[in-house]
Amino acid sequence: VTDDPLERLRRLRGARDAEPSPDQSAPRASTPSMTDVLSLPDDLRALLSWLMRRGGATAADAAAQTDGDEATAQGLLDRLVAQGYVRRIDADGAPVYRARVGSRTGPRLPGELWKVLE
Amino acid sequence: MARTVSVHSFRGGTGKSNITANLAVTVARRGNRVGIVDTDIQSPGIHVLFGLDEEKMDRALNDYLWGDCAIQDTAYDVSPVIEAGAGAVAVMSGNVYLVPSSIRAGEIARVLREGYDVSLLNDGFHELIDRLDLDYLFIDTHPGLNEETLLSIAISDVLVLILRPDRQDFQGTAVTVDVARRLDVPRMLLVVNKALQSYDFAALRKQVEETYDATVAGVLPLSEDVAGLASSDLFTLRDPDHPWSRELRAIADQVMAQ
């Protein structure tokens, strides 16, 4: 326990980030899992799947893929960025968007079993 | 643009690695640069078909996933191994690069114990395609559905789903087909393997196609000749005129179709 307000804030933030976000629009601390991808709305899931296959794309590329205008594609990309599924990379020219999906696999055996094996 | 082909099955023992290796080599022999990644980190095996063993492998996919090297540093050019192994039959006009998973017990245990960051796989696949200038990347997956296999399915331009004519395989394949459709996989091909030679293959193909509303790329017979090779070589190179090899080439045609 600490009286330092900044330290308390950091602890609270750490605890909040460790919990699943109830609001899908809120940014997350960890990389989204593939199970999260499956629960996305159709339009976001379709764009994200395409982006994963392609590696990276601009908003104009995404618009061509979705048969929509660039503003609509940009809106979808912004939502994916806000939810942590996509990274925006600013370079020369138009920003490039890259998928950021796949959570860390956890230990596949309980700790007690490892102790027995050691 | 390179094409990513994931070869997957819901259950183990379907012949996934054997089919992946033979498909990859068939595609390479048509003048393509082909990569294969063994993402079955818990139970790797495809390296055996290319004559790699523990002594010959000093780097593996595991080293990339733990940040010890770039993914292209874990790729082995196995084209010379294929040519030497099958003699005059194999004339490679393309190249085959294999990224194996480690077969060292300690490294498999480390994966089970510590896990790894699955998002690195997607970055690695794209990096490998760029660095090796690949036309095709084949991904040999772990059976079933988990975080890694879902990712491999999602990034596929072509998903090859293997099943045996078996009720358990039929049920599991239905789940996988559903997931692949939710992930908007552009092309899904079913391959029925180990079909008894007494079956009516045309009727079996029709039944599977109607069940899943998906294309069956081929029906491979249960073959004592294939089993007899015991993963010591690539059957399509060893016996190119065998019915199994001819059907395998027909499947490769569909994998490569635009």
Side-chain angles (χ1 to χ4, degrees), chain B residues 144-165:
Chain B
L145 291 177
N146 58 28
E147 187 70 6
E148 303 97 301
T149 56
L150 284 173
L151 185 132
S152 297
I153 290 170
I155 62 153
S156 307
D157 297 297
V158 182
L159 173 65
V160 178
L161 270 180
I162 301 173
L163 68 155
R164 291 160 297 197

Side-chain angles (χ1 to χ4, degrees), chain B residues 8-225:
Chain B
H8 186 61
S9 63
F10 187 79
R11 298 180 67 228
T14 56
K16 185 165 44 63
S17 296
N18 190 32
I19 291 173
T20 305
N22 279 281
L23 278 178
V25 168
T26 303
V27 170
R29 292 189 70 201
R30 295 176 186 174
N32 293 294
R33 293 173 65 82
V34 174
I36 307 168
V37 182
D38 188 354
T39 63
D40 194 352
I41 302 177
Q42 298 157 65
S43 46
I46 198 168
H47 57 275
V48 176
L49 288 135
F50 293 99
L52 287 181
D53 57 27
E54 193 170 352
E55 281 72 41
K56 291 176 188 165
M57 291 197 299
D58 57 349
R59 287 277 170 92
L61 180 64
N62 310 53
D63 297 295
Y64 162 70
L65 293 173
W66 288 317
D68 294 336
C69 64
I71 192 162
Q72 65 270 19
D73 296 337
T74 69
Y76 294 78
D77 184 353
V78 291
S79 320
V81 178
I82 297 166
E83 290 181 22
V89 173
V91 178
M92 294 293 294
S93 50
N95 284 80
V96 181
Y97 298 91
L98 174 65
V99 175
S101 276
S102 175
I103 47 171
R104 294 188 170 90
E107 295 192 20
I108 295 172
R110 184 177 171 190
V111 167
L112 295 171
R113 185 174 196 166
E114 298 177 16
Y116 67 93
D117 184 353
V118 175
S119 69
L120 287 172
L121 280 178
N122 196 18
D123 296 339
F125 295 153
H126 289 292
E127 184 75 7
L128 197 64
I129 287 168
D130 287 344
R131 295 287 181 157
L132 299 181
D133 193 21
L134 298 178
D135 300 304
Y136 287 86
L137 179 66
F138 283 79
I139 301 171
D140 186 20
T141 66
H142 185 67
L145 291 177
N146 58 28
E147 187 70 6
E148 303 97 301
T149 56
L150 284 173
L151 185 132
S152 297
I153 290 170
I155 62 153
S156 307
D157 297 297
V158 182
L159 173 65
V160 178
L161 270 180
I162 301 173
L163 68 155
R164 291 160 297 197
D166 174 282
R167 280 176 183 269
Q168 292 185 55
D169 280 25
F170 277 20
Q171 282 197 356
T173 301
V175 177
T176 314
V177 166
D178 185 43
V179 166
R181 290 203 166 114
R182 284 185 66 76
L183 291 170
D184 297 294
V185 174
R187 274 188 86 213
M188 181 163 47
L189 300 171
L190 301 179
V191 171
V192 183
N193 193 21
K194 302 186 179 178
L196 291 179
Q197 304 210 15
S198 58
Y199 287 175
D200 177 341
F201 280 25
L204 179 59
R205 176 190 290 260
K206 187 164 180 282
Q207 181 199 352
V208 174
E209 285 190 330
E210 285 176 358
T211 302
Y212 301 107
D213 191 22
T215 303
V216 171
V219 179
L220 291 162
L222 178 64
S223 165
E224 280 200 15
D225 300 324

